[in-house]
Amino acid sequence: MKSLGSIRRSFAPWSDPGAKPYISFENVTKIFGDFTAVDDLSLDIFEKEFFALLGGSGSGKSTLLRMLAGFDEPTRGRILLDGQDLRGIPPYRRPLNMMFQSYALFPHMTVEANVGFGLRQEGVPKAEIEARVAEMLKLVKLEQFAKRKPHQLSGGQRQRVALARSVAKRPKVLLLDEPLGALDKKLREETQFELMDLQQSLGLTFIVVTHDQEEAMTMADRIAILDKGKLMQVATPAEVYEAPASRFVASFIGNVNMFEGKVAARDAGSARITGASGAEILVGNAGDAAAGNTVSFAVRPEKIRVSSKRPEGAVNALEGEVYDLAYLGDMTVYHVRLDDGQVVKASALNSSRASDDPLTWHDRAWISFAPDAGVVLTR
Ligand code: ADP
Ligand code: MG
């Protein structure tokens, strides 16, 4: 991997009030017949951002991308690109290119002919096409495959040809609809890093649609989470994981435990939450939850400790029984059934070979977590 970290760490135009968005969806709604596929959605994307649209099947991701590309128009609302309203502008006049889920290469054409196809269509001079194709093939590390036909390539290589083809015309924005859907897990992971490198070296804005949360977390600067055509949250991967805005987002991204209860008392920041069984949890930051509100305290499994005895000084500790456990090599996942019946997931890194507190099926166990281990959710 290249040392992208230091570059990307300072890239955060969305938190700069003076920064101008490059693409804006303004109250965009798309209705098919009597079905609302995209529902009053507003969203800003910045130049050179690697942006992911994440959601389950049918959540409106492709519809959103198709409207940006110009294959569909919004029923209501507008889409701006660099300040210009895109309504009525045909797809080929928009400074963007779309790479589809099923990236069909021309089977009878060589790799270089495939990559240069769009340029020939546009009547770009031959010498320039050759230069551009060579540059693109170098970028996706396929120089030595220029004369091959698609069937002489692996799935991953074909995918890179499709990528080279879609950036050959130098669009400002590349739209990718489930670009890695056809690849197996290992190749997907490799290709994710290649896509990030490509986006960096070309300095383009990438908008990628995916239903795979890990993929979105790996690649994107920010993620928009969609559900039934509605925007649920837009934030960096770390924010959606550590500070989900709702129960939906908390459950959609990664594993989470939800402790349900009522806010019994609160002061400046902290609050006491009482569950149905009477168990109390102290939370460090209750946000805008008021006394009496029904809330969920969402805690990730890796922030919960499992032990055979109540840890000394633990603020939040609940007792139960080891109900299930899975040894995954690098870590062990415990399912602890609390005495009130709730099953809590806790994961522990196996950083040494032998645990000094071995726990097994049906053992009595305590789970414990800090007041700031999770977030209080009111919706
Ligand atoms: P996603 O890409 O998130 O899986 P889509 O944007 O493709 O979802 O579709 C969102 C919803 O809109 C789906 O329920 C789909 O059936 C519906 N839809 C998409 N395109 C059309 C269309 N042309 N006509 C009618 N319904 C459509
Ligand atoms: Mg789709």
Side-chain angles (χ1 to χ4, degrees):
M1 239 190 296
K2 286 195 219 159
S3 55
L4 300 174
S6 58
I7 306 168
R8 294 318 266 182
R9 224 169 291 142
S10 58
F11 180 81
W14 50 87
S15 50
D16 171 4
K20 207 167 120 284
Y22 190 52
I23 294 164
S24 294
F25 292 87
E26 291 183 355
N27 305 101
V28 170
T29 293
K30 180 67 185 178
I31 299 172
F32 296 109
D34 59 0
F35 181 80
T36 305
V38 173
D39 193 356
D40 193 24
L41 184 146
S42 297
L43 178 66
D44 288 334
I45 297 171
F46 293 84
E47 200 167 12
K48 301 189 186 205
E49 192 170 359
F50 199 131
F51 196 89
L53 295 169
L54 176 66
S57 177
S59 56
K61 308 181 295 293
S62 295
T63 303
L64 209 53
L65 220 54
R66 289 175 52 82
M67 288 191 289
L68 177 56
F71 302 120
D72 257 326
E73 292 281 7
T75 309
R76 287 193 290 274
R78 53 182 204 157
I79 305 174
L80 306 177
L81 194 147
D82 209 6
Q84 185 189 17
D85 189 340
L86 290 177
R87 184 171 291 275
I89 298 176
Y92 60 89
R93 299 272 310 281
R94 301 184 181 196
L96 37 84
N97 203 355
M98 182 138 164
M99 198 175 113
F100 289 94
Q101 198 157 5
S102 52
Y103 44 88
L105 300 175
F106 301 110
H108 58 285
M109 284 185 198
T110 61
V111 165
E112 57 183 7
N114 264 289
V115 174
F117 181 78
L119 301 171
R120 283 197 304 282
Q121 293 283 92
E122 285 203 333
V124 175
K126 194 156 176 273
E128 198 183 326
I129 295 179
E130 278 173 17
R132 196 91 68 82
V133 168
E135 182 198 345
M136 292 302 136
L137 289 180
K138 183 156 181 259
L139 204 61
V140 296
K141 302 180 198 81
L142 286 175
E143 301 107 304
Q144 68 271 46
F145 299 108
K147 305 288 180 207
R148 289 209 192 168
K149 298 276 177 66
H151 74 269
Q152 296 166 310
L153 301 173
S154 71
Q157 289 164 342
R158 280 203 292 272
Q159 213 274 344
R160 273 143 60 197
V161 177
L163 260 175
R165 185 174 67 179
S166 57
V167 292
K169 278 164 72 176
R170 298 195 202 283
K172 292 253 178 57
V173 185
L174 185 62
L175 310 179
L176 305 113
D177 195 344
E178 309 263 1
L180 312 180
L183 307 179
D184 64 46
K185 191 173 187 302
K186 187 151 185 298
L187 200 52
R188 273 177 91 98
E189 286 170 2
E190 281 171 28
T191 313
Q192 287 166 8
F193 289 106
E194 286 173 12
L195 273 179
M196 291 156 73
D197 282 355
L198 187 71
Q199 191 251 357
Q200 284 285 292
S201 42
L202 290 168
L204 297 183
T205 306
F206 271 31
I207 305 178
V208 60
V209 158
T210 179
H211 63 270
D212 180 335
Q213 50 116 345
E214 256 178 64
E215 188 163 293
M217 301 277 284
T218 303
M219 297 195 295
D221 293 310
R222 283 188 309 156
I223 302 174
I225 295 156
L226 273 71
D227 181 43
K228 301 191 192 83
K230 284 198 167 71
L231 180 66
M232 306 305 286
Q233 187 170 6
V234 49
T236 64
E239 282 162 357
V240 292
Y241 189 80
E242 301 290 349
S246 61
R247 295 177 179 96
F248 176 86
V249 173
S251 312
F252 191 77
I253 304 280
N255 275 311
V256 74
N257 297 289
M258 297 282 196
F259 296 95
E260 315 295 338
K262 260 202 165 67
V263 177
R266 69 162 299 165
D267 48 51
S270 67
R272 213 165 266 290
I273 297 170
T274 313
S277 66
E280 277 215 338
I281 291 172
L282 181 73
V283 301
N285 182 358
D288 54 9
N293 282 173
T294 302
V295 297
S296 304
F297 188 52
V299 190
R300 302 289 181 191
E302 70 275 14
K303 299 196 171 65
I304 296 186
R305 186 178 157 199
V306 188
S307 49
S308 57
K309 292 190 187 68
R310 190 185 211 280
E312 240 173 86
V315 176
N316 294 313
L318 301 165
E319 198 178 4
E321 177 187 303
V322 178
Y323 164 74
D324 207 352
L325 65 98
Y327 173 75
L328 303 176
D330 56 345
M331 63 175 183
T332 301
V333 178
Y334 297 90
H335 291 193
V336 177
R337 195 205 298 272
L338 301 182
D339 292 343
D340 68 5
Q342 180 177 1
V343 175
V344 173
K345 277 187 212 154
S347 56
L349 278 179
N350 296 322
S351 43
S352 65
R353 287 192 61 195
S355 167
D356 49 10
D357 189 6
L359 279 163
T360 190
W361 280 270
H362 306 306
D363 281 352
R364 293 298 291 172
W366 287 83
I367 60 147
S368 54
F369 47 89
D372 62 357
V375 284
V376 171
L377 301 173
T378 52
R379 58 189 175 98

